[in-house]
Amino acid sequence: MSKQAEFAVILKMNPMFADLGADELQRLSNLCHTQHLGNGEVLFQKGDPGDALFGVRRGQVRIETGASDGSRLTLNFMGPGDLFGEVAVLDGQSRTADATAGETSELFVLRREDFLGFLEREPKVAIKIIALLCQRIRWQSERMEESMLQPLPVRLARRLCALAADFGSEVHISQEQLGVFVGAARESVNRQLQAWRKEAILDLQRGRILLRNMSKLTAIARNE
């Protein structure tokens, strides 16, 4: 399979492009090129212009921001098949976070000028983007409601299940980063993880969490 065909598959998995036909996806994927990053290499920094959409072909990219104490906080992980940079590539505004390769990675890159030119020729893609942005607003509203109404074990279990769906049962994330995800102090996150460790739901190692009982964790995430 050619790289363009691989990118077409990634696009097809994204809600923004899911309803496009094979010919439309092929024309869009033909506009991409690839970029290689070494482990720890910075793709872009907060404040850089939003001039491209990225898809992960292989490797991992961390979306990060700086904490008040000078440390780094990971806001999200992007693995093979993930797209990111959709909003910035549409409005051209500056990046709101940093993106750094968590390991040697290869990315598909679709430049903003090429993408906007495609939208002018394919207006139904623009309609899909409007729908996607509305979906994101709804998702953020749900997360805000969740952070206010759901107890910490449910929020934490849901985040771990989401990470496991992308990266498997070995999740590379710190407890501080988990706290940022679920809106809780690191100490509270640690107490809950330690309780789950005693129940053999998971195991804790430095900088990573090994998920041992996904069925139990899923039940907690569903608040059952």
Side-chain angles (χ1 to χ4, degrees):
M1 182 183 293
S2 68
K3 290 183 178 181
Q4 285 75 18
E6 288 183 41
F7 189 40
V9 171
I10 292 176
L11 292 173
K12 185 67 175 178
M13 293 188 298
N14 187 278
M16 183 186 299
F17 307 104
D19 290 340
L20 296 185
D23 291 341
E24 294 165 321
L25 288 170
Q26 188 60 53
R27 290 197 297 274
L28 184 57
S29 63
N30 285 341
L31 300 175
C32 82
H33 66 276
T34 56
Q35 179 177 349
H36 292 81
L37 296 174
N39 184 19
E41 185 175 349
V42 175
L43 176 62
F44 56 74
Q45 294 181 306
K46 181 177 180 179
D48 286 350
D51 59 357
L53 166 72
F54 299 96
V56 182
R57 186 183 187 214
R58 56 185 176 87
Q60 183 191 90
V61 175
R62 300 191 305 267
I63 307 301
E64 302 177 316
T65 189
S68 57
D69 61 0
S71 63
R72 306 293 298 164
L73 295 178
T74 299
L75 303 177
N76 209 347
F77 296 91
M78 298 298 169
D82 287 335
L83 286 179
F84 61 100
E86 302 100 318
V87 174
V89 81
L90 287 171
D91 63 16
Q93 298 299 307
S94 58
R95 303 288 185 184
T96 57
D98 304 339
T100 305
E103 57 188 67
T104 300
S105 303
E106 183 179 6
L107 307 179
F108 294 111
V109 183
L110 181 60
R111 294 296 178 191
R112 182 171 188 265
E113 57 185 23
D114 295 329
F115 185 49
L116 294 183
F118 178 81
L119 291 183
E120 291 177 357
R121 299 187 298 272
E122 306 282 352
K124 75 176 183 179
V125 180
I127 294 174
K128 292 296 296 182
I129 289 172
I130 293 171
L132 175 69
L133 295 177
C134 291
Q135 181 183 3
R136 286 194 169 189
I137 292 172
R138 292 177 183 273
W139 184 87
Q140 295 212 352
S141 178
E142 290 172 358
R143 298 291 78 72
M144 183 177 297
E145 179 180 350
E146 179 181 276
S147 67
M148 295 175 64
L149 300 178
Q150 294 294 342
L152 175 60
V154 174
R155 304 199 312 269
L156 191 56
R158 287 179 180 178
R159 174 51 58 179
L160 289 173
C161 286
L163 290 170
D166 284 337
F167 301 107
S169 61
E170 183 174 317
V171 178
H172 291 255
I173 189 171
S174 71
Q175 294 182 26
E176 183 179 16
Q177 291 164 351
L178 267 179
V180 172
F181 274 131
V182 301
R186 179 191 179 281
E187 293 76 12
S188 298
V189 170
N190 178 260
R191 282 195 296 269
Q192 186 58 61
L193 293 177
Q194 292 292 347
W196 285 344
R197 182 184 61 79
K198 292 178 182 178
E199 297 176 37
I201 294 174
L202 51 78
D203 192 17
L204 301 175
Q205 297 188 10
R206 185 175 182 83
R208 59 181 178 159
I209 300 172
L210 305 179
L211 305 178
R212 302 298 192 190
N213 191 335
M214 285 302 303
S215 60
K216 179 63 175 177
L217 194 65
T218 300
I220 297 171
R222 293 173 178 168
N223 205 10
E224 296 176 350

